[in-house]
Amino acid sequence: MGGQYRITGDKYPRMRRPRRRGRLVVLTVASAAALGAAGWGTVQLVDVFTGGGDSVSATGTKAACAAGPSPTASAKPLPEPGAITVNVLNATTRSGLAQKTADELKKRGFRIGEVANATKEYDKKVKGTGVLLGPAAALDTSLRVLATQLADAERRTDAARKGSEVDLVIGDAFKQLATKADADRALTALARPEPTSAPKNC
């Protein structure tokens, strides 16, 4: 070439393409992100199909769900009315009340023992509907069953008392026993307590 644009000397400048380091960095980051997402997805799939969590807790939960809700157990087995002997004692001034109440209890399946006036300890001293009295062992057994017939009665125990008989001491506020329908429902509830709820994650 001539003129003012003529190249002099024996070396020529090398023409190189600009390096594209930025594109390489972007590609590297994108690849790493893709691999991370794929790994996370695999972990999630494994959790879905295996139930997730550690093996001990998962096994325990499955066993609890398979067993279902468990009923609330009573401390002691409850006797049937026919296995309970009730002494009916009148602590009021109304005559004939003990015999009438005893007859109704007998119709409902209870065994009747003594029918009489209350002892001096209780005679004319019971202001409520009544007192259910028995040995210590009867508190959660026979007295619970008898209480279904007179829900408002007070339950008491006598540690020195022998035998298994229980007393129904009629008080001043007594009008009548619970209706048979209400008493039967109460007996059913005692025999079939409400079950506890199943675990939330079942």
Side-chain angles (χ1 to χ4, degrees):
M1 297 178 66
Q4 58 178 339
Y5 298 105
R6 187 174 64 180
I7 299 174
T8 62
D10 57 355
K11 294 183 180 180
Y12 297 88
R14 293 181 180 180
M15 305 300 290
R16 294 182 180 178
R17 293 184 179 181
R19 295 181 180 180
R20 298 180 178 179
R21 293 183 179 179
R23 179 177 297 180
L24 291 176
V25 172
V26 172
L27 289 175
T28 302
V29 172
S31 298
L35 289 174
W40 177 252
T42 302
V43 172
Q44 294 301 309
L45 287 175
V46 170
D47 282 345
V48 168
F49 288 104
T50 61
D54 58 68
S55 59
V56 175
S57 61
T59 302
T61 300
K62 290 178 181 178
C65 292
S70 59
T72 303
S74 300
K76 296 180 181 179
L78 297 175
E80 296 291 330
I84 302 173
T85 299
V86 184
N87 301 315
V88 185
L89 308 175
N90 185 4
T92 75
T93 58
R94 291 174 284 170
S95 61
L97 199 56
Q99 187 62 58
K100 182 179 179 181
T101 303
D103 291 343
E104 183 60 30
L105 285 175
K106 186 176 181 179
K107 291 179 182 178
R108 299 183 184 187
F110 290 87
R111 296 171 60 183
I112 302 302
E114 182 182 5
V115 179
N117 291 327
T119 61
K120 184 177 181 180
E121 181 181 359
Y122 292 99
D123 190 30
K124 301 178 183 63
K125 296 177 183 178
V126 179
K127 302 303 179 183
T129 58
V131 173
L132 307 182
L133 180 65
L139 180 61
D140 292 322
T141 55
S142 299
L143 292 184
R144 286 187 69 192
V145 176
L146 183 57
T148 61
Q149 311 301 309
L150 189 61
D152 295 333
E154 178 186 355
R155 280 185 277 175
R156 297 183 186 177
T157 60
D158 183 356
R161 184 164 178 162
K162 304 298 182 180
S164 60
E165 294 184 358
V166 294
D167 298 344
L168 191 165
V169 184
I170 300 173
D172 292 338
F174 178 87
K175 294 182 179 179
Q176 62 180 15
L177 295 173
T179 64
K180 190 174 185 307
D182 288 343
D184 288 345
R185 279 194 290 270
L187 280 172
T188 300
L190 281 181
R192 299 177 182 177
E194 291 293 328
T196 58
S197 59
K200 292 182 179 180
N201 54 350
C202 286

